[in-house]
Amino acid sequence: MKFFTKKNLETLFNDGLAFANEILNNEEVLQNLSDKKMIHTLVFNISEIDVLKNICEVGNKRGYKYINLENWSILIFFYFAI
Protein backbone atom coordinates (compact mmCIF):
# COMPACT_ATOMS: atom_id res chain seq x y z
CA MET A 1 0.00 0.00 0.00
CA LYS A 2 2.93 2.35 0.44
CA PHE A 3 3.25 2.61 -3.34
CA PHE A 4 -0.31 3.85 -3.91
CA THR A 5 -1.88 7.13 -3.03
CA LYS A 6 -5.51 7.37 -2.03
CA LYS A 7 -6.23 8.95 -5.42
CA ASN A 8 -4.54 6.03 -7.24
CA LEU A 9 -6.72 3.52 -5.40
CA GLU A 10 -9.87 5.53 -6.02
CA THR A 11 -9.03 5.67 -9.71
CA LEU A 12 -8.41 1.91 -9.79
CA PHE A 13 -11.78 1.08 -8.22
CA ASN A 14 -13.67 3.67 -10.26
CA ASP A 15 -12.12 2.25 -13.43
CA GLY A 16 -13.13 -1.24 -12.27
CA LEU A 17 -16.70 -0.06 -11.82
CA ALA A 18 -16.66 1.51 -15.29
CA PHE A 19 -15.33 -1.78 -16.72
CA ALA A 20 -18.13 -3.70 -15.00
CA ASN A 21 -20.73 -1.32 -16.42
CA GLU A 22 -19.29 -1.64 -19.93
CA ILE A 23 -19.48 -5.44 -19.79
CA LEU A 24 -23.00 -5.47 -18.37
CA ASN A 25 -24.27 -3.02 -20.99
CA ASN A 26 -22.69 -4.88 -23.92
CA GLU A 27 -25.20 -7.52 -25.05
CA GLU A 28 -22.83 -8.82 -27.72
CA VAL A 29 -20.12 -9.62 -25.16
CA LEU A 30 -22.60 -11.25 -22.78
CA GLN A 31 -24.10 -13.35 -25.57
CA ASN A 32 -20.66 -14.39 -26.79
CA LEU A 33 -19.64 -15.48 -23.29
CA SER A 34 -22.88 -17.40 -22.92
CA ASP A 35 -22.49 -19.08 -26.32
CA LYS A 36 -18.97 -20.18 -25.39
CA LYS A 37 -20.34 -21.58 -22.10
CA MET A 38 -18.16 -19.25 -20.04
CA ILE A 39 -21.05 -18.27 -17.77
CA HIS A 40 -21.96 -20.80 -15.09
CA THR A 41 -24.92 -20.91 -12.74
CA LEU A 42 -24.04 -22.33 -9.35
CA VAL A 43 -26.24 -24.65 -7.32
CA PHE A 44 -27.71 -21.72 -5.39
CA ASN A 45 -28.66 -19.98 -8.67
CA ILE A 46 -25.89 -17.34 -8.80
CA SER A 47 -23.79 -16.76 -11.92
CA GLU A 48 -20.86 -14.54 -12.81
CA ILE A 49 -23.37 -12.14 -14.36
CA ASP A 50 -25.23 -11.86 -11.05
CA VAL A 51 -22.02 -10.84 -9.27
CA LEU A 52 -21.30 -8.33 -12.04
CA LYS A 53 -24.83 -6.91 -11.71
CA ASN A 54 -24.30 -6.54 -7.98
CA ILE A 55 -21.08 -4.59 -8.52
CA CYS A 56 -22.84 -2.24 -10.95
CA GLU A 57 -25.97 -1.82 -8.86
CA VAL A 58 -24.19 -1.06 -5.60
CA GLY A 59 -21.40 0.95 -7.22
CA ASN A 60 -23.72 3.11 -9.29
CA LYS A 61 -26.07 3.82 -6.38
CA ARG A 62 -23.71 4.14 -3.44
CA GLY A 63 -20.15 4.26 -4.81
CA TYR A 64 -17.30 1.80 -5.11
CA LYS A 65 -16.58 1.83 -1.36
CA TYR A 66 -19.83 -0.06 -0.70
CA ILE A 67 -19.13 -2.94 -3.10
CA ASN A 68 -18.40 -6.23 -1.36
CA LEU A 69 -14.64 -6.73 -1.50
CA GLU A 70 -15.09 -10.38 -2.52
CA ASN A 71 -16.96 -9.37 -5.68
CA TRP A 72 -14.12 -7.41 -7.27
CA SER A 73 -12.26 -10.56 -8.32
CA ILE A 74 -14.99 -11.37 -10.86
CA LEU A 75 -13.59 -8.55 -13.01
CA ILE A 76 -10.40 -10.57 -13.45
CA PHE A 77 -12.49 -13.50 -14.68
CA PHE A 78 -14.25 -11.25 -17.22
CA TYR A 79 -10.98 -9.67 -18.33
CA PHE A 80 -9.52 -13.05 -19.26
CA ALA A 81 -12.82 -14.43 -20.60
CA ILE A 82 -13.20 -11.51 -22.98
Side-chain angles (χ1 to χ4, degrees):
M1 294 302 297
K2 67 181 180 179
F3 300 109
F4 292 98
T5 65
K6 181 178 178 181
K7 183 160 177 50
N8 292 135
L9 286 174
E10 287 176 351
T11 300
L12 176 71
F13 284 106
N14 281 321
D15 288 348
L17 178 57
F19 180 57
N21 280 304
E22 286 295 322
I23 296 167
L24 193 60
N25 293 322
N26 191 325
E27 289 295 324
E28 185 177 352
V29 168
L30 295 176
Q31 187 61 50
N32 188 294
L33 292 172
S34 181
D35 291 346
K36 291 184 177 182
K37 300 191 185 320
M38 299 288 293
I39 304 299
H40 308 92
T41 301
L42 300 175
V43 176
F44 42 91
N45 207 28
I46 299 285
S47 72
E48 290 90 349
I49 300 295
D50 294 317
V51 176
L52 188 69
K53 286 178 183 177
N54 182 267
I55 288 174
C56 294
E57 182 179 318
V58 173
N60 292 334
K61 286 182 182 175
R62 300 185 72 199
Y64 76 88
K65 292 179 182 180
Y66 292 91
I67 297 170
N68 186 332
L69 184 61
E70 297 168 349
N71 290 351
W72 285 108
S73 62
I74 201 70
L75 296 180
I76 297 168
F77 163 80
F78 278 105
Y79 175 82
F80 284 106
I82 292 169

